[in-house]
Amino acid sequence: MQRRTLVALTLALSSAALPALAQETVKIGLILPMTGPFASTGRQIDAAVKLYLAQNGSTVAGKKVEVILKDDAGVADTTRRIAQELVVNDKVAVLAGFGLTPLAMATAPIATQSKTPMVVMAAATSSITEASPYIVRTSFTLPQVTVGIAEWAAKNKIRKAVTLVTDYGPGIDAEKTFKDRFTLNGGQVVAELRVPLRSPDFAPFLQRVRDSGAEAVFTFVPSGVGSALMKQFAERGLDKAGIKLIATGDVTDDDILNEMGDVALGVVTSHHYSAAHKSAANQKFVQAFGAANKGMRPNFMAVGGYDGMRVIAKAIEATRGKGDGNALLAAMKGQVFESPRGPVLIDAQTRDIVQDVYTRKVERVGGQLWNVEFDTLKAVKDPGKAK
Ligand code: PHB
């Protein structure tokens, strides 16, 4: 009898205690490539999420925000499995991260089935937000940022160009957007080249660029890969041959720009974020990010992570820490704020980010290389959704 009473009492106590404990924390599952070829994306986003919480406090609406960081090594099956575990076992309120398009695509059905908001902080293929109504994006899209450089090229006497992109979602988006805009403005794309995502060798492709007679090569490679491309561009003598390299800002990534050396000088790109962006909010961000991370410079991935954490925290605040997936999602839609990149809006209809896109040139300032912004397209909506 005594033992049965004890068991019953223990059961009653634990089931009473559990919901109370669960109420005190809001869990965020942050899935990033922390190892493997895209680890720089994970490192940048993780540091930025930590910085946001350090600056703003990790208690929101009286709840402790707990970020559970998991490494998917950039492998889509792993991302999906981890997401499933985070939802089922850890009962996370929000899934976040997603360093590459295939990782976001693989996880979208889990967000839909479990009605869990999924904040995409990195991946940038236009169609990602259409893969689940629970996806909100704080990074960018390739069509959104490619428009700027396509228009700049046509206005700056480039007539013939070759496109050279990584062969998957974002690269194909960049290739198509560049061709459409550049052609519309009188330019001609004479060849469209695609390099593999895994272990790319640019040499044979750069040789084809050289042989094509084009005045410029428009490139997209994902964050972290730009220095290898730049190195081979110089080694093959394309710069000496007078071929211009133009790109989205993924290529002149702030995380690796200083390693590129002189070959990067003068390269014109368009993108939504430069660590050199002139605003008080950005100066504060770059300074604090460096101070917390041994002088590391934040790149566009860091900004996607920082703003993503902001969008999540404000949604928790707006729902007073009591919101379910649908309430949190509703509170993410329509947020307007000043990011280190400039003014942004989470479009309530598309759940995608609307932001300024800058044209920039690599310059040496104070002994370091920077993407110096010189022109702005205001409040650009993803052209993939504008149709
Ligand atoms: C993507 O996989 O969507 C992706 C990754 C890195 C970038 C841009 C897009 O720099």
Side-chain angles (χ1 to χ4, degrees):
M1 270 310 266
Q2 230 177 22
R3 193 160 162 262
R4 263 179 44 204
T5 319
L6 203 69
V7 169
L9 196 71
T10 315
L11 276 177
L13 267 179
S14 57
S15 57
L18 265 180
L21 265 180
Q23 271 174 9
E24 284 161 21
T25 50
V26 180
K27 292 181 187 169
I28 318 294
L30 180 62
I31 317 175
L32 293 169
M34 300 303 295
T35 54
F38 300 100
S40 66
T41 296
R43 189 163 39 92
Q44 287 272 346
I45 294 178
D46 176 37
V49 167
K50 289 198 167 91
L51 177 64
Y52 182 88
L53 292 173
Q55 288 176 329
N56 297 279
S58 55
T59 302
V60 181
K63 299 278 167 87
K64 175 97 189 121
V65 174
E66 184 191 341
V67 175
I68 305 175
L69 173 65
K70 298 278 183 189
D71 175 18
D72 63 14
V75 177
D77 285 344
T78 310
T79 320
R80 181 179 33 219
R81 178 180 51 74
I82 293 172
Q84 181 87 38
E85 287 167 6
L86 285 167
V87 166
V88 174
N89 301 340
D90 298 291
K91 314 258 183 305
V92 296
V94 178
L95 290 165
F98 310 102
L100 296 161
T101 289
L103 316 182
M105 287 302 201
T107 310
I110 292 172
T112 307
Q113 282 153 24
S114 64
K115 302 190 183 351
T116 308
M118 172 172 158
V119 177
V120 175
M121 297 170 159
T125 300
S126 175
S127 62
I128 287 175
T129 44
E130 283 150 357
S132 167
Y134 286 86
I135 291 179
V136 169
R137 175 155 43 198
T138 59
S139 52
F140 66 107
T141 80
L142 263 303
Q144 183 178 48
V145 299
T146 300
V147 169
I149 190 65
E151 299 204 335
W152 181 88
K155 277 190 211 129
N156 284 271
K157 302 196 179 69
I158 296 172
R159 288 290 158 264
K160 278 189 187 170
V162 172
T163 58
L164 174 62
V165 303
T166 303
D167 191 6
Y168 76 126
I172 291 158
D173 272 0
E175 175 191 276
K176 184 180 184 313
T177 308
F178 184 83
K179 187 179 184 178
D180 288 354
R181 286 291 172 128
F182 186 57
T183 312
L184 196 72
N185 290 296
Q188 189 192 351
V189 171
V190 295
E192 291 161 77
L193 310 177
R194 295 179 183 176
V195 298
L197 175 61
R198 305 279 164 181
S199 320
D201 175 12
F202 297 106
F205 297 99
L206 290 171
Q207 192 56 46
R208 285 179 63 190
V209 171
R210 223 190 144 147
D211 297 341
S212 72
E215 302 149 62
V217 55
F218 162 75
T219 63
F220 161 82
V221 292
S223 183
V225 182
S227 40
L229 170 67
M230 283 294 198
K231 190 161 167 274
Q232 293 190 22
F233 184 81
E235 277 171 10
R236 296 259 131 194
L238 272 79
D239 53 342
K240 302 278 180 328
I243 297 169
K244 257 190 178 328
L245 186 145
I246 55 176
T248 60
D250 305 80
V251 176
T252 56
D253 179 349
D254 272 302
D255 196 49
I256 50 175
L257 182 57
N258 266 315
E259 293 165 21
M260 293 180 190
D262 285 0
V263 63
L265 279 173
V267 169
V268 177
T269 58
S270 58
H271 225 211
H272 57 295
Y273 180 68
S274 163
H277 179 64
K278 284 198 171 65
S279 73
N282 184 51
Q283 261 168 6
K284 188 173 159 232
F285 173 67
V286 174
Q287 196 278 330
F289 191 90
N293 298 285
K294 301 194 181 85
M296 181 159 74
R297 192 193 285 186
N299 70 0
F300 59 96
M301 293 300 186
V303 171
Y306 189 75
D307 291 345
M309 192 58 236
R310 191 249 185 229
V311 166
I312 296 167
K314 293 292 173 189
I316 296 170
E317 197 177 289
T319 53
R320 299 199 181 87
K322 296 190 188 85
D324 63 0
N326 285 321
L328 284 170
L329 180 72
M332 290 178 187
K333 292 179 185 176
Q335 285 193 29
V336 179
F337 59 100
E338 193 195 351
S339 154
R341 64 186 112 180
V344 301
L345 153 74
I346 304 299
D347 185 324
Q349 250 95 55
T350 63
R351 294 162 277 103
D352 225 330
I353 190 160
V354 179
Q355 58 193 333
D356 292 354
V357 172
Y358 309 90
T359 321
R360 316 95 51 87
K361 184 186 241 165
V362 178
E363 289 176 17
R364 183 169 280 122
V365 183
Q368 292 195 30
L369 299 183
W370 299 92
N371 291 295
V372 178
E373 296 170 348
F374 63 86
D375 208 357
T376 310
L377 296 172
K378 296 297 263 176
V380 182
K381 217 176 149 154
D382 174 28
K385 315 276 157 44
K387 287 167 214 144

